[in-house]
Amino acid sequence: MPLHDGLGIILFPNFPLSHPMKNTFLLALSLCGLTTISQAQTPAKPIPPATPQYRPAYHFSPAKMWMNDPNGMVYYNGTYHLFFQHYPDGMEWGPMHWGHATSKDLVSWQEQPIALYPDKLGWIFSGSAVIDEDNTAGFGKNAMVAIFTHHNDPEEKKKTNKHQYQSLAYSLDEGKTWKKYDGNPVLPNPGIQDFRDPKVSWNEVAKKWVMTLATKDRITFYSSANLKDWTKLSEFGEKLGAHGGVWECPDLFPLTLNGKTYWVLLVSINPGGPNGGSATQYFVGQFDGKTFTPTTTTQKWVDWGKDDYAGITWGNTGARKIFLGWMSNWEYANQVPTSPWRNAMTVPRDLALKQVGPEIYLTSTPVKEMAKLVQPSQTLSNLTVKSELSLADKIPNLAPQFQLKMSTKQLQDFALVLGNAKGEELVIGYDKQANQYYVDRSKAGQMTFSDKFAGRHPAPRLATGPAADLTLLFDATSVEVFADGGLTTMTELFFPTQSYTTLKLKSSSGLTIDALTYTKLSQEVK
């Protein structure tokens, strides 16, 4: 992307606006009379007052500025790499870069220098990364290769429908430094308005790289022997699944159930989610190296909450499939009241398959590595809830980060209510008549930043037995609900004006909880 300050755009047309040396560069130009120091120091918009109380502890968030989709997630030499859509010059969506963070354990994250900057071909939109063990691309053995979408903003304004195309970059030092391929783009746009978000993996059946690409209202599969030359294989989904918005951020991976291999296809849509705005649907089926065939056409969602979008899985992890989503919703992502950063990721989740009746569902559970955050637990056994039961005397001081586990042999109506002295309440519960779990944040705190934020958001209970279990993860401004072994999952944000301090249970029909375990989760907040 050109530098739009004084004559810099003429002298250095490919100098990135967000390069770390931008201000030094502009200062030098100012000394030559070619621009002004004030231009170099003027931010896109004033940064709101800091909100350290809203900073998550064990969810990744950037130190500052804007973040959205996870990108390029790959595991190599004991390190999990997370790249992400990032605008380092503002707190709202802008010219996209690839930010970068790393972790040894999926719990503690270290933000790294920006990996990919915009260039003359465009902004750096979403994509994936692979480890090229056999040097198929010729960049070097075990090169880390990023496959991403270049988004050409001036071309988009021409309305040619050729403004998005797929490109490569590679790293020979495990993601520390990157070089873009001189032959970019490797997959030009055939004239499709939305042509983006390549997720690439090695397919053992085809003995080739397979790209799962978002192409407006469907997914298109491509293959390549060398990551550079791509052949179209097939399309999927034009008349299947939810189509409230453009199909984007796809992923395709195998999982085994009862000794049989199935393929799972993730597709994010915005709008069109079950509770409004953005959400991620999935299909379970078979992939023969060329064509994806679903086993059923039942509508299924990875997460029924408002705030889990654009999630994909880490590459190079073998049979284990670990998912991570962007913890926000496009209905209000640009307005959430955090500063000096905006948005975070979900916790990493292990994915598996489970059959319920004729249907095969995807289950999500927090990764086992979360156990390292666990502090001494407090378990309350055989709790009888008749109308209302306060837990204030048993759990007097709620931590900003904690886990709650509940189990019952006979699930009935209930509501778990977190509250504070201002009367703000976050409610997580189950409606037996509707057979739905729900999160109600109608009175949970700040919500004037968007008329789409408040509300009671339901999710169907997919398990069929009377016994139920729930795991709830809280971290400053988020709750992640994993019900019935992860068959029903919900992720929701909330922004109380002061910390929640009280916890109570309500049940109109009466409920016996066999065990309720409260566990503080401890990790130093950035």
Side-chain angles (χ1 to χ4, degrees):
M1 178 178 175
L3 181 69
H4 296 280
D5 288 273
L7 292 181
I9 189 172
I10 299 173
L11 298 175
F12 299 92
N14 296 325
F15 193 92
L17 180 64
S18 302
H19 193 282
M21 296 297 291
K22 180 192 76 171
N23 286 354
T24 302
F25 169 75
L26 289 174
L27 177 60
L29 286 182
S30 72
L31 296 176
C32 300
L34 298 179
T35 187
T36 65
I37 293 177
S38 62
Q39 285 175 306
Q41 296 176 337
T42 303
K45 282 186 179 181
I47 303 300
T51 57
Q53 73 276 21
Y54 290 160
R55 172 75 76 175
Y58 58 86
H59 293 78
F60 174 74
S61 60
K64 59 183 180 179
M65 304 303 175
W66 171 268
M67 178 183 74
N68 57 291
D69 306 358
N71 297 153
M73 290 162 39
V74 68
Y75 177 72
Y76 185 60
N77 271 357
T79 298
Y80 293 91
H81 292 266
L82 165 62
F83 300 90
F84 54 91
Q85 292 286 276
H86 184 43
Y87 182 40
D89 288 332
M91 287 182 57
E92 296 180 2
W93 188 92
M96 286 290 100
H97 302 54
W98 267 26
H100 185 198
T102 56
S103 176
K104 296 290 187 180
D105 59 8
L106 294 169
V107 175
S108 303
W109 291 95
Q110 291 76 46
E111 190 167 355
Q112 306 293 345
I114 291 171
L116 299 176
Y117 288 84
D119 56 40
K120 63 183 179 182
L121 290 176
W123 303 344
I124 313 298
F125 269 26
S126 291
S128 53
V130 299
I131 303 300
D132 191 5
E133 295 180 4
D134 297 325
N135 194 23
T136 63
F139 298 138
K141 183 175 174 58
N142 290 318
M144 187 179 291
V145 183
I147 308 96
F148 62 91
T149 298
H150 261 124
H151 177 93
N152 189 318
D153 194 50
E155 188 69 21
E156 182 181 22
K157 290 178 171 60
K158 297 177 185 176
K159 300 187 182 301
T160 63
N161 284 347
K162 294 189 175 183
H163 58 282
Q164 293 181 345
Y165 28 79
Q166 317 320 314
S167 295
L168 303 178
Y170 61 95
S171 172
L172 301 177
D173 56 9
E174 302 188 18
K176 294 181 179 66
T177 60
W178 290 85
K179 177 175 173 53
K180 296 194 181 93
Y181 175 48
D182 291 338
N184 285 337
V186 296
L187 181 55
N189 193 322
I192 300 172
Q193 180 177 346
D194 300 286
F195 188 75
R196 60 174 184 257
D197 310 339
K199 185 64 159 68
V200 175
S201 61
W202 180 259
N203 186 273
E204 280 297 331
V205 176
K207 297 297 181 186
K208 288 184 178 180
W209 298 102
V210 169
M211 176 190 293
T212 307
L213 192 68
T215 51
K216 195 175 181 179
D217 61 348
R218 67 199 73 178
I219 298 303
T220 303
F221 299 102
Y222 292 83
S223 71
S224 174
N226 59 10
L227 295 170
K228 298 174 180 176
D229 304 297
W230 293 93
T231 302
K232 182 178 176 180
L233 298 173
S234 63
E235 296 179 352
F236 170 79
E238 179 186 5
K239 296 180 180 179
L240 292 173
H243 281 275
V246 172
W247 280 29
E248 57 187 6
C249 302
D251 195 0
L252 177 71
F253 52 87
L255 283 173
T256 301
L257 176 65
N258 298 328
K260 182 178 179 180
T261 297
Y262 295 86
W263 287 80
V264 179
L265 177 64
L266 307 183
V267 180
S268 289
I269 62 168
N270 172 60
N275 279 299
S278 5
T280 302
Q281 62 185 320
Y282 70 93
F283 305 86
V284 179
Q286 295 297 330
F287 183 71
D288 61 5
K290 181 178 180 180
T291 304
F292 179 82
T293 306
T295 54
T296 70
T297 56
T298 304
Q299 182 62 65
K300 296 167 181 171
W301 299 95
V302 172
D303 189 305
W304 293 81
K306 289 278 284 190
D307 298 307
D308 181 359
Y309 192 59
I312 53 175
T313 59
W314 263 277
N316 207 39
T317 56
R320 186 185 185 194
K321 300 304 173 189
I322 309 168
F323 170 95
L324 188 80
W326 175 50
M327 198 160 60
S328 198
N329 189 307
W330 279 117
E331 288 186 334
Y332 41 74
N334 281 287
Q335 289 84 41
V336 291
T338 62
S339 180
W341 82 100
R342 192 163 270 149
N343 303 316
M345 298 299 181
T346 67
V347 294
R349 303 171 181 181
D350 279 309
L351 301 182
L353 296 176
K354 183 177 178 62
Q355 186 153 356
V356 181
E359 296 290 341
I360 297 174
Y361 292 101
L362 191 65
T363 65
S364 303
T365 51
V367 292
K368 60 182 182 293
E369 288 85 350
M370 290 285 295
K372 72 173 293 184
L373 298 176
V374 168
Q375 301 297 300
S377 297
Q378 180 178 352
T379 298
L380 307 176
S381 301
N382 299 318
L383 289 175
T384 300
V385 184
K386 294 179 180 178
S387 184
E388 183 174 311
L389 176 66
S390 173
L391 300 178
D393 57 332
K394 300 177 178 64
I395 306 174
N397 297 303
L398 291 180
Q401 290 81 30
F402 67 96
Q403 173 184 273
L404 270 184
K405 288 193 172 186
M406 296 172 51
S407 61
T408 179
K409 293 184 179 68
Q410 189 68 48
L411 184 61
Q412 303 288 343
D413 287 314
F414 80 87
L416 178 77
V417 184
L418 282 77
N420 62 23
K422 288 192 172 183
E424 295 169 347
E425 292 184 341
L426 175 72
V427 185
I428 299 111
Y430 173 69
D431 180 337
K432 186 173 183 179
Q433 183 175 352
N435 195 31
Q436 292 175 334
Y437 295 104
Y438 64 88
V439 177
D440 189 340
R441 61 185 184 192
S442 301
K443 300 188 296 179
Q446 292 193 61
M447 54 192 69
T448 56
F449 56 87
S450 169
D451 61 5
K452 300 292 182 65
F453 189 78
R456 181 184 186 275
H457 307 132
R461 183 174 191 243
L462 301 176
T464 56
D469 64 86
L470 286 92
T471 297
L472 312 177
L473 296 178
F474 295 88
D475 188 0
T477 62
S478 67
V479 60
E480 290 164 277
V481 181
F482 303 90
D484 303 312
L487 268 173
T488 300
T489 302
M490 301 187 76
T491 303
E492 298 261 341
L493 297 173
F494 52 87
F495 299 97
T497 58
Q498 66 181 45
S499 298
Y500 294 133
T501 55
T502 62
L503 185 65
K504 60 186 174 183
L505 285 161
K506 295 181 177 181
S507 179
S508 57
S509 54
L511 173 69
T512 298
I513 296 175
D514 299 309
L516 185 149
T517 302
Y518 168 86
T519 307
K520 182 179 177 182
L521 301 176
S522 180
Q523 178 159 297
E524 184 179 350
V525 178
K526 303 187 196 77

